[in-house]
């Protein structure tokens, strides 16, 4: 779990999982899973790495919402990926080849708060840093729909088609569709 915010560590959704599932998460996310009774909670702070069953998971500094949350670099013999759901790239990460980058590809902002999703701003840096084969659009991909009071205040900069054009033929771009299985 990258974050402890309710849309990431949603208690009602987490309650559906067996409490025996190990949880790897940011400090705020693990506080929630511990309260829900998950028995194995592995809290990672940015820069820390855990190895579980042949999978290496490195926490990176993510979005300050308001505390610094996590992004992750996940590596296994079968592949590797980077994920950070707000488009905040930890500048301490060394350049490396990863198979997949999961990231937003547009910016979202609120008045006075500025950008809280910085996908458009960071997309080219992610491509240069990780030389991925695939960009998998998150947060705002897959025909995401936003509802609620704050939605009327959110403004977007960029869109999926603009991101697809900027990436061009350099690598595969996936705008995920709900309920489809993707073999990355």
């Amino acid at each position: 779990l990258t974050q402890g915010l309710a849309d990431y560590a949603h208690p009602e959704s987490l309650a559906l999982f067996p409490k025996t599932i190990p949880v790897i998460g940011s400090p705020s996310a693990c506080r929630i899973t511990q309260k829900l009774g998950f028995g194995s909670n592995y809290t990672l702070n940015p820069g820390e790495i855990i190895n579980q069953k042949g999978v290496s998971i490195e926490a990176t500094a993510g979005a300050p919402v308001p505390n610094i949350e996590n992004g992750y670099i996940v590596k296994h013999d079968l592949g590797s990926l980077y994920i950070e759901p707000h488009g905040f790239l930890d500048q301490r990460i060394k350049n490396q080849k990863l198979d997949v980058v999961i990231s937003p590809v547009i910016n979202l902002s609120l008045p006075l708060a500025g950008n809280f999703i910085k996908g458009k701003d960071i997309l080219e840096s992610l491509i240069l840093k990780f030389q991925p084969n695939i960009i998998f659009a998150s947060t705002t991909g897959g025909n995401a729909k936003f509802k609620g009071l704050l939605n009327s205040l959110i403004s977007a900069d960029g869109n999926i088609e603009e991101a697809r054009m900027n990436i061009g033929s350099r690598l595969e771009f996936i705008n995920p569709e709900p309920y489809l299985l993707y073999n990355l």
Side-chain angles (χ1 to χ4, degrees):
L1 296 170
T2 59
Q3 301 176 18
L5 297 174
D7 55 337
Y8 293 88
H10 186 248
E12 292 81 6
S13 297
L14 290 170
L16 300 173
F17 289 94
K19 301 302 184 261
T20 55
I21 292 177
V23 174
I24 299 169
S26 69
S28 64
C30 283
R31 280 192 293 277
I32 291 168
T33 57
Q34 287 169 347
K35 286 180 186 173
L36 292 172
F38 284 84
S40 298
N41 293 277
Y42 301 95
T43 301
L44 289 184
N45 291 296
E48 295 179 333
I49 299 172
I50 189 169
N51 291 292
Q52 292 283 313
K53 299 183 179 185
V55 178
S56 169
I57 301 171
E58 176 184 355
T60 64
V65 286
N67 299 316
I68 299 293
E69 294 289 350
N70 287 354
Y72 294 106
I73 295 173
V74 180
K75 295 180 180 178
H76 184 272
D77 290 342
L78 298 176
S80 57
L81 67 85
Y82 169 79
I83 182 169
E84 200 292 317
H86 281 251
F88 284 73
L89 178 60
D90 184 342
Q91 296 304 314
R92 297 172 294 179
I93 301 172
K94 292 182 172 56
N95 289 2
Q96 57 192 293
K97 173 76 173 126
L98 298 175
D99 299 314
V100 179
V101 166
I102 302 172
S103 176
V105 296
I106 69 170
N107 293 348
L108 294 178
S109 64
L110 285 167
L112 303 176
N115 287 345
F116 64 95
I117 303 284
K118 301 192 312 181
K120 179 181 177 182
D121 291 348
I122 204 67
L123 186 58
E124 190 61 32
S125 295
L126 292 169
I127 292 169
L128 293 172
K129 183 167 287 292
F130 299 124
Q131 309 98 46
N133 300 324
I134 299 169
I135 294 286
F136 193 91
S138 71
T139 310
T140 53
N143 299 320
K145 305 259 188 287
F146 301 99
K147 297 190 290 187
L149 175 63
L150 282 180
N151 188 51
S152 63
L153 301 174
I154 294 173
S155 61
D157 179 15
N159 59 55
I160 294 294
E161 287 311 312
E162 181 183 347
R164 188 184 312 276
M165 287 180 8
N166 288 340
I167 291 168
S169 61
R170 295 185 284 171
L171 49 102
E172 184 178 354
F173 177 77
I174 297 174
N175 179 26
E177 293 297 325
Y179 309 109
L180 289 181
L181 176 64
Y182 294 90
N183 293 314
L184 305 177

